Amino acid sequence: MPTTTSQPADQPSIAIVGASITGPVLALLLHRAGFHQVRLYEASPAPTQQAGGIIGLDHPSLTTLADLGISQQEIIPFTSERVVTITVQDQREASRTEHLYPGRNTAWHLLNHTLLQRLPQHWLHLGQRVRAISPTEHGPAVLEFLDAEPSHADLVIFTDGRRSTGRRLLAPKRTLTYAGYIAWRGQGPYQPHIEHFTRIDPVGAAFNLSPLRQTSGHPATDWTLYLDMPEPDFHTLLGADPTVRTYLLPHQFTGQVRALVQGQANRLLKPAAAHLIAATPTWTAAPIVDLAPSTQAVYPIGAAHAILLGDALAPVRPHTASGANLGIAQAAGLAGVLSQHLHHGADLVAALHGWQQRHLPAVRAAQQLGPELGASLGLGTARGRILVTEQ
Ligand SMILES: Cc1cc2nc3c(=O)[nH]c(=O)nc-3n(C[C@H](O)[C@H](O)[C@H](O)COP(=O)(O)OP(=O)(O)OC[C@H]3O[C@@H](n4cnc5c(N)ncnc54)[C@H](O)[C@@H]3O)c2cc1C
């Protein structure tokens, strides 16, 4: 392993690409560790406007956020740790069990908003989409943007999500595969009887519900409906490849698609649950994707380094409830080793490789678990064309 200067005269300049969850958490941890040459680039002009749903945060993630001064009151829309699981057959409840989730649920918009508010002034650059990275001789890497002047950084950390530009540039052979089903999501009218995270599992689908406090203050009920959609149907109905359009905003699907999904919901769920979906004005969707097991997170770019973190390193299936948790744990670990480099002269290359070795096994375990959980719910098994032929 090559070595670098062990006593850095100056701080490394750091560019973080993507300001959803992993990126802002890392930025705040770096700020706390004394780094001041940090810029955070986000492609979206206003990330908090993106819809998002309930995300389970485990205790280590909550502790990392608490260490950043983020109180649970700010980010936890309901305090119950209870998870209710209901199996459904022929639209009737067949069994009901309960267990405790070792953590609490947040909502993407609450967490994203809370994190971005705390960033030091001038660190966040919205509406800047990174499109390329290249080395310079003995110096920092050059970052190129779609609509902005290039920038330089000694460390470029890609936290740019499931369809990461960083992953495409650094590991072009690591392509996504579609798992055969979609998470449809929305926030519908408040249902007072839904007090806990509730999983309703009809055969061949999964429906998750939870109470939600919105930024507007109005209570709502957050839902996610997992339904099979074979790849040919996705192409026909949504006009794209599911590994390219990995996040669907409301304007990207038609009323016909909504009607087809609602028809499935009406057949599989109890009428009250199907009605909640029908009464939700705005839906979003995420096709579920997999990636081959991750073996590398740190890439040399000349004398600089690029690093993949969070969903950019490996998107994992939502049933594992671990994507955001992995990203936060990786960010905390990375901020720790960079702090050792900054304050104690730790060799940067050795520190980064040590960090990589510690975090890759957890990523691979979650990548393996996701398909097992999906299969246990009977998801992703439909073949041929199911939705289109129902017209
Ligand atoms: C239905 C569902 C349920 C889930 N439930 C859980 C759960 O219970 N627990 C859990 O831990 N995880 C859960 N997850 C996963 C979790 O949402 C993700 O793991 C998490 O959002 C990943 O965060 P990230 O910051 O790494 O990436 P993302 O949230 O994907 O953010 C990437 C950011 O990068 C920006 N970007 C993209 N390309 C560029 C570019 N070229 N230049 C600049 N910016 C760019 C994007 O605009 C975006 O803001 C769930 C996911 C889904 C779909």
Side-chain angles (χ1 to χ4, degrees), residues 290 314-317 320 322-323 326 360-373:
D290 293 316
V316 296
R317 295 208 194 176
T320 64
S322 64
L326 287 168
L360 283 177
V363 174
R364 287 196 292 262
Q367 285 183 289
Q368 192 182 339
L369 179 63
E372 289 169 18
L373 294 177

Side-chain angles (χ1 to χ4, degrees), residues 90-172:
D90 301 326
Q91 291 184 298
R92 292 212 178 135
E93 184 171 324
S95 70
R96 179 182 286 247
T97 53
E98 286 190 14
H99 71 273
L100 294 179
Y101 172 63
R104 302 247 190 234
N105 292 288
T106 184
W108 183 88
H109 66 279
L110 286 177
L111 185 55
N112 178 258
H113 179 74
T114 303
L115 292 167
L116 295 195
Q117 264 189 331
R118 282 177 159 73
L119 288 172
Q121 236 191 341
H122 309 306
W123 278 27
L124 179 61
H125 301 263
L126 292 173
Q128 298 211 4
R129 180 174 291 278
V130 170
R131 66 178 183 92
I133 183 169
S134 51
T136 56
E137 215 178 321
H138 310 301
V142 182
L143 267 187
E144 288 175 42
F145 299 87
L146 209 57
D147 283 320
E149 290 300 307
S151 163
H152 292 77
D154 299 305
L155 286 171
V156 179
I157 302 165
F158 286 97
T159 60
D160 54 345
R162 301 197 298 161
R163 207 164 78 83
S164 165
T165 299
R167 190 192 324 120
R168 183 171 52 75
L169 295 168
L170 300 167

Side-chain angles (χ1 to χ4, degrees), residues 45-353:
T48 309
Q49 283 171 13
Q50 291 172 21
I54 290 289
I55 292 178
L57 292 180
D58 57 23
H59 291 136
S61 295
L62 291 168
T63 301
T64 300
L65 295 171
D67 289 347
L68 290 171
I70 295 173
S71 76
Q72 291 201 11
Q73 275 170 332
E74 286 177 273
I75 55 164
I76 304 301
F78 62 100
T79 52
S80 169
E81 295 172 296
R82 224 181 295 174
V83 178
V84 180
T85 303
I86 300 168
T87 57
V88 174
Q89 271 167 7
D90 301 326
Q91 291 184 298
R92 292 212 178 135
E93 184 171 324
S95 70
R96 179 182 286 247
T97 53
E98 286 190 14
H99 71 273
L100 294 179
Y101 172 63
R104 302 247 190 234
N105 292 288
T106 184
W108 183 88
H109 66 279
L110 286 177
L111 185 55
N112 178 258
H113 179 74
T114 303
L115 292 167
L116 295 195
Q117 264 189 331
R118 282 177 159 73
L119 288 172
Q121 236 191 341
H122 309 306
W123 278 27
L124 179 61
H125 301 263
L126 292 173
Q128 298 211 4
R129 180 174 291 278
V130 170
R131 66 178 183 92
I133 183 169
S134 51
T136 56
E137 215 178 321
H138 310 301
V142 182
L143 267 187
E144 288 175 42
F145 299 87
L146 209 57
D147 283 320
E149 290 300 307
S151 163
H152 292 77
D154 299 305
L155 286 171
V156 179
I157 302 165
F158 286 97
T159 60
D160 54 345
R162 301 197 298 161
R163 207 164 78 83
S164 165
T165 299
R167 190 192 324 120
R168 183 171 52 75
L169 295 168
L170 300 167
K173 291 191 179 149
R174 303 198 63 230
T175 51
L176 296 171
T177 51
Y178 176 50
Y181 59 102
I182 299 184
W184 299 92
R185 310 192 87 177
Q187 277 99 46
Y190 180 57
Q191 315 280 299
H193 60 284
I194 304 291
E195 295 172 68
H196 315 290
F197 188 91
T198 303
R199 299 177 38 189
I200 300 176
D201 292 342
V203 177
F207 188 52
N208 296 344
L209 292 155
S210 49
L212 177 67
R213 170 172 53 85
Q214 294 181 307
T215 30
S216 64
H218 296 300
T221 299
D222 180 276
W223 58 264
T224 304
L225 175 65
Y226 296 94
L227 278 183
D228 276 8
M229 184 184 280
E231 197 161 342
D233 282 2
F234 194 101
H235 278 271
T236 308
L237 292 167
L238 297 158
D241 191 294
T243 60
V244 173
R245 189 162 289 171
T246 53
Y247 191 69
L248 291 158
L249 291 168
H251 68 270
Q252 289 171 317
F253 48 90
T254 60
Q256 181 210 3
V257 174
R258 222 182 122 128
L260 287 164
V261 173
Q262 185 69 53
Q264 296 267 95
N266 295 347
R267 271 191 297 284
L268 290 163
L269 302 174
K270 284 180 117 162
H275 179 71
L276 171 68
I277 296 175
T280 300
T282 307
W283 300 5
T284 58
I288 306 305
V289 290
D290 293 316
L291 190 71
S294 295
T295 53
Q296 190 175 357
V298 180
Y299 296 81
I301 306 286
H305 291 90
I307 301 168
L308 299 175
L309 222 65
D311 276 18
L313 175 59
V316 296
R317 295 208 194 176
H319 325 292
T320 64
S322 64
N325 290 307
L326 287 168
I328 292 171
Q330 291 156 13
L334 186 60
V337 301
L338 292 177
S339 176
Q340 289 295 316
H341 171 64
L342 181 67
H343 298 296
H344 304 287
D347 181 86
L348 181 62
V349 175
L352 291 178
H353 281 84

